[in-house]
Amino acid sequence: MGYGSRAISILQEYYEMKIVDITDEGIESVQSVQPTKDEEIDLLTECLGPRKDLPPLLLKLSERPPEVLQYLGVSYGITLPLLKFWKRAGFIPVYMRQTPNELTGEHSCIMLKVLKNKSTEKLDSSWLKEYWTDFRRRFVSLLSFQFRNFLPVLSLSILQNKNQGMDPPIDLSVVEVRVHLTPYDIKRLELYTKNMADYHLIMDLVPTLSKLFFLNKMGGMHLSAVQSAIMLGLGLQHKIVDELSKELDLPGTQLLGLFNRTIRKMLEYFGTILEEGLERELLSPGDMSDVTTRMVPLAETLAKELDSGAIELRKKQAKELERLKKADLSQYAIKGNEEAWSEALTPSSLGSISIKVGQKRLQTVESPSDTQEKKKKGENGGKKFGKGWKKPKNHKQKGGK
């Protein structure tokens, strides 16, 4: 602990009344200068000389009781070393000036710390946490404007403050996920994580993802310091990859690789929320009760329904059997007698079987319309001549003598 840290610690202990036990009996009377009125002072008649009964410049702690304070505050031009110093002392930022100082070029920052003494025991100290929450929300939105030139390390150090304690993780609901991301957005993130699309395809979604993460609305998801700086630089400060790689001193390929892992982790989180929401919708008691109220019992039992179906099948099979009995199936009868078949099936046969049935196949009876059509074709066929046909000599042309 350096001199500055030790001085701040002693000052805090003094105002918290932890150094000495100051009571009414222990406080000694301190001489003070008697004030005079302005009308009694005359510069022309005043005599300059050494004054008497002046109070000492330094007093003992037993001679000076501490004022009743609820908090300590500090205002300074923000830099990374000074920010680390005051955070190490337990101070929390609550305000950041958006315009830099004209002389130093630094942004003024105000940080506070609540004191623990008898006067603050009955007071609610949650007001500082509310100040910090509001400051963080505004700072996240302003990182793409006035605070865009901040280094990612400085901005990340401002947003990550362990003095206030970790906020309880907040999980997004299915409705909130669908408000921020559409199914097409989820598909684009999935394509990028599978290296099937370039990171430019999802750059419009990175600000939304970064804001949800830094506002602690992703279920306490943990990212490394480098991954958090990448999400802050790309999503909140809207810097390009080349500019961010120089500030973080990382090659562009390594930076994009870490960025891909971060997006994959966030996609798994959103997928889990959507799956759990869909499961709750399918298995919700209200929906099941609505379904059960709409259910109507069957008119007959399953056994009766099967019996009636079997009876109908038997009737249909009986009708088919009667139709087959009345049909003439003689044309499908197997020809040949037993001797012919036994002779044909002898091992000496060469693989082909031929049986003389002694009957010819029944010729189909032609209808009168088919007969007339054949006659017409025959008459018309006489007018068609082949290649070597010659006209007869005794043939007379129509209208000749």
Side-chain angles (χ1 to χ4, degrees):
M1 181 181 291
Y3 291 103
S5 301
R6 181 57 181 165
I8 297 297
S9 177
I10 295 175
L11 181 64
Q12 179 181 345
E13 292 177 358
Y14 170 70
Y15 283 108
E16 290 180 348
M17 302 182 182
K18 294 180 180 179
I19 294 180
V20 293
D21 186 13
I22 301 176
T23 59
D24 294 339
E25 297 179 357
I27 300 176
E28 301 177 359
S29 59
V30 180
Q31 297 178 355
S32 60
V33 178
Q34 297 295 330
T36 58
K37 297 181 180 180
D38 295 338
E39 292 80 4
E40 297 178 358
I41 300 175
D42 189 0
L43 297 178
L44 299 177
T45 59
E46 183 181 6
C47 296
L48 299 178
R51 296 183 179 182
K52 298 179 180 180
D53 298 332
L54 291 176
L57 295 178
L58 299 176
L59 298 175
K60 296 180 180 179
L61 296 180
S62 59
E63 298 174 350
R64 185 188 187 282
E67 292 82 357
V68 179
L69 301 181
Q70 296 181 2
Y71 63 89
L72 295 177
V74 61
S75 176
Y76 64 97
I78 190 167
T79 58
L80 186 58
L82 286 177
L83 177 64
K84 291 181 179 180
F85 170 79
W86 290 111
K87 284 178 63 178
R88 195 162 50 245
F91 287 74
I92 299 173
V94 295
Y95 173 77
M96 182 83 65
R97 183 181 177 184
Q98 299 185 25
T99 56
N101 186 279
E102 292 79 4
L103 299 177
T104 61
E106 299 171 348
H107 295 262
S108 300
C109 178
I110 297 178
M111 301 180 72
L112 303 178
K113 183 178 182 179
V114 176
L115 297 176
K116 297 179 181 179
N117 49 36
K118 294 181 180 180
S119 63
T120 60
E121 288 179 354
K122 299 180 180 180
L123 298 178
D124 186 11
S125 60
S126 62
W127 60 271
L128 183 57
K129 183 177 180 180
E130 296 177 359
Y131 268 92
W132 155 249
T133 303
D134 183 72
F135 166 76
R136 182 181 61 180
R137 180 183 58 83
R138 295 182 59 197
F139 184 73
V140 165
S141 301
L142 292 173
L143 274 174
S144 58
F145 296 97
Q146 283 78 6
F147 306 135
R148 186 180 183 276
N149 295 326
F150 281 7
L151 292 176
V153 180
L154 176 60
S155 303
L156 192 62
S157 181
I158 295 173
L159 290 175
Q160 294 179 348
N161 199 318
K162 297 181 180 180
N163 296 323
Q164 185 58 41
M166 297 298 295
D167 296 338
I170 302 174
D171 284 321
L172 295 174
S173 62
V174 180
V175 178
E176 291 174 336
V177 172
R178 291 174 179 172
V179 167
H180 294 292
L181 299 173
T182 63
Y184 179 66
D185 296 336
I186 298 292
K187 187 64 178 178
R188 283 191 291 157
L189 293 174
E190 184 179 355
L191 291 175
Y192 173 69
T193 56
K194 294 180 179 179
N195 296 324
M196 299 177 64
D198 191 64
Y199 74 94
H200 295 95
L201 187 66
I202 64 167
M203 284 304 297
D204 59 310
L205 304 176
V206 178
T208 302
L209 300 179
S210 302
K211 194 169 184 178
L212 292 175
F213 172 73
F214 286 105
L215 293 180
N216 201 20
K217 292 185 178 181
M218 299 187 71
M221 179 184 296
H222 175 72
L223 296 178
S224 64
V226 180
Q227 289 177 322
S228 301
I230 292 173
M231 293 300 297
L232 187 145
L234 294 179
L236 300 182
Q237 292 183 315
H238 299 174
K239 295 181 179 181
I240 61 176
V241 175
D242 295 338
E243 182 181 0
L244 189 61
S245 63
K246 293 179 181 178
E247 294 179 351
L248 296 178
D249 195 16
L250 282 175
T253 54
Q254 185 177 355
L255 189 147
L256 291 177
L258 293 173
F259 177 67
N260 189 290
R261 294 180 186 177
T262 306
I263 298 299
R264 187 184 298 115
K265 194 171 184 178
M266 292 183 174
L267 181 61
E268 292 177 358
Y269 171 75
F270 291 130
T272 303
I273 292 178
L274 294 176
E275 290 175 1
E276 292 177 354
L278 183 60
E279 183 179 358
R280 287 193 295 268
E281 291 177 1
L282 295 176
L283 302 179
S284 59
D287 296 341
M288 295 300 294
S289 61
D290 295 340
V291 173
T292 53
T293 54
R294 293 195 300 267
M295 294 178 66
V296 180
L298 297 175
E300 57 182 0
T301 62
L302 181 61
K304 291 182 179 180
E305 186 176 357
L306 292 175
D307 293 340
S308 60
I311 293 172
E312 293 180 359
L313 181 61
R314 291 194 193 100
K315 291 180 180 180
K316 186 176 180 180
Q317 290 177 348
K319 290 181 181 180
E320 292 291 334
L321 183 60
E322 291 294 331
R323 187 179 65 82
L324 291 175
K325 287 180 179 180
K326 295 178 181 180
D328 185 12
L329 304 177
S330 59
Q331 57 178 336
Y332 303 107
I334 299 175
K335 308 300 181 179
N337 51 19
E338 294 183 1
E339 295 179 357
W341 278 102
S342 59
E343 183 180 355
L345 295 176
T346 55
S348 61
S349 60
L350 300 176
S352 60
I353 300 174
S354 62
I355 298 175
K356 296 181 180 180
V357 296
Q359 296 181 2
K360 295 182 179 180
R361 294 183 180 178
L362 297 177
Q363 296 181 355
T364 57
V365 182
E366 298 180 353
S367 61
S369 60
D370 296 339
T371 307
Q372 293 178 1
E373 185 176 356
K374 286 184 178 181
K375 287 183 180 180
K376 289 180 180 180
K377 288 182 179 179
E379 292 176 359
N380 295 334
K383 295 180 181 180
K384 295 180 180 179
F385 308 105
K387 184 177 180 180
W389 181 83
K390 293 183 180 180
K391 184 177 180 181
K393 295 180 180 181
N394 56 356
H395 179 75
K396 295 182 180 181
Q397 295 181 357
K398 188 176 179 179
K401 294 182 182 180

